[in-house]
Amino acid sequence: MHANDASMPGGAAGGAAVVAHPAWIRLVLPFLGLGAGLLVKGAAQWVISLPWAPFQGPLELLESLPEPGATIGAGVLGAVGGLVLVFLIDHDALTVEVRTDRVGLARRGRTHGHARQDVEGVFMDGRGLTGKRLVLLGGDGGELERLPCDLKEARVAEAFRVNGWPWLEADPYAGEFRRWVDGLPELPPAANALLRARREALEKDAEGDDADELRRELAGLGVVVRDEKERQYFRLLPGTGGTGGTGG
């Protein structure tokens, strides 16, 4: 899901720079849902008259209800749908709070914080509204964070830059990634098992907590992983290597 983001200026004299979805979206969506519900009610009879139109059963049920209950009910259902959409946006959206000495990343009720001294660089990876990831690189070249981010890249970059963080235009290690194939002997023994489990987690929920937790476990083994078109790609940190076998 995507909506324009709101930001607050920061910097050494201005406190934190915060980038998040704007508050007005929480107010607008229920009203849009209300309008959509009333629009559906108004067009229900016409839609029912079309032999090829979908959802004729629910629309016929709606039309059979007495007034004004039918109109009120349609409006209430639309507003509830808008509230559900607000909940989904709040649940999945990333909020970025950057200070000169620390960054906080909040998503799905969890907040991850990192000190400035532990971060080598920050960049946005991926394309499209649902494919972008905010990435924080550690001093060893590993990834401290790789989180879904549909905020405007320019505003996120500004929040980091104004607070003196190293914003990168691209992943400096992009050329080191290789596509994962089960059983690669150069991976640590446990890594193939974790990547298999992560593949299953991605099939269930590409942006879920299980896949992210497994990514963090792989990072502990010195394996950096990213996703592209439902495929996993990996790179190894210096000094990391397998001893043969598939692990598990």
Side-chain angles (χ1 to χ4, degrees):
M1 298 176 192
H2 180 73
N4 291 333
D5 56 276
S7 62
M8 296 173 55
V18 181
V19 188
H21 287 296
W24 59 260
I25 199 72
R26 298 173 179 83
L27 300 175
V28 170
L29 287 179
F31 285 102
L32 289 177
L34 172 63
L38 295 176
L39 181 63
V40 169
K41 175 62 178 71
Q45 191 170 7
W46 174 72
V47 174
I48 292 172
S49 68
L50 302 175
W52 49 266
F55 307 114
Q56 290 199 357
L59 290 175
E60 288 175 354
L61 177 61
L62 181 63
E63 277 294 287
S64 68
L65 298 176
E67 291 292 356
T71 298
I72 294 173
V76 169
L77 287 175
V80 170
L83 289 172
V84 170
L85 190 57
V86 168
F87 170 78
L88 292 175
I89 290 176
D90 282 344
H91 182 64
D92 283 328
L94 177 67
T95 298
V96 182
E97 182 177 327
V98 190
R99 300 180 182 272
T100 55
D101 61 343
R102 192 167 183 82
V103 61
L105 305 169
R107 180 176 180 264
R108 290 192 169 186
R110 299 181 180 181
T111 300
H112 303 284
H114 297 279
R116 167 66 185 86
Q117 63 190 29
D118 297 330
V119 179
E120 179 186 79
V122 188
F123 63 93
M124 198 80 78
D125 194 26
R127 299 177 181 177
L129 299 182
T130 60
K132 286 188 176 182
R133 301 289 187 272
L134 180 65
V135 182
L136 272 62
L137 291 175
D140 61 353
E143 292 183 355
L144 301 173
E145 299 288 351
R146 176 177 280 269
L147 293 170
C149 179
D150 64 354
L151 301 168
K152 289 183 179 179
E153 182 174 346
R155 292 189 178 275
V156 177
E158 179 185 8
F160 280 99
R161 285 172 175 154
V162 75
N163 282 283
W165 291 63
W167 180 265
L168 308 176
E169 296 302 325
D171 185 354
Y173 302 101
E176 299 181 15
F177 281 92
R178 295 177 49 200
R179 183 178 175 182
W180 172 69
V181 178
D182 196 359
L184 288 175
E186 60 265 42
L187 285 167
N192 279 301
L194 288 172
L195 285 163
R196 284 196 297 271
R198 191 171 183 275
R199 177 178 59 191
E200 295 177 2
L202 289 171
E203 291 174 353
K204 297 177 181 178
D205 185 356
E207 298 182 0
D209 294 333
D210 287 346
D212 185 59
E213 181 179 344
L214 290 166
R215 182 192 66 79
R216 295 178 186 276
E217 290 189 34
L218 286 160
L221 298 177
V223 181
V224 179
V225 61
R226 74 176 187 185
D227 310 311
E228 185 176 336
K229 295 181 180 179
E230 301 180 353
R231 300 167 182 164
Q232 296 185 96
Y233 292 78
F234 75 94
R235 64 178 173 89
L236 299 176
L237 298 184
T240 303
T243 57
T246 62

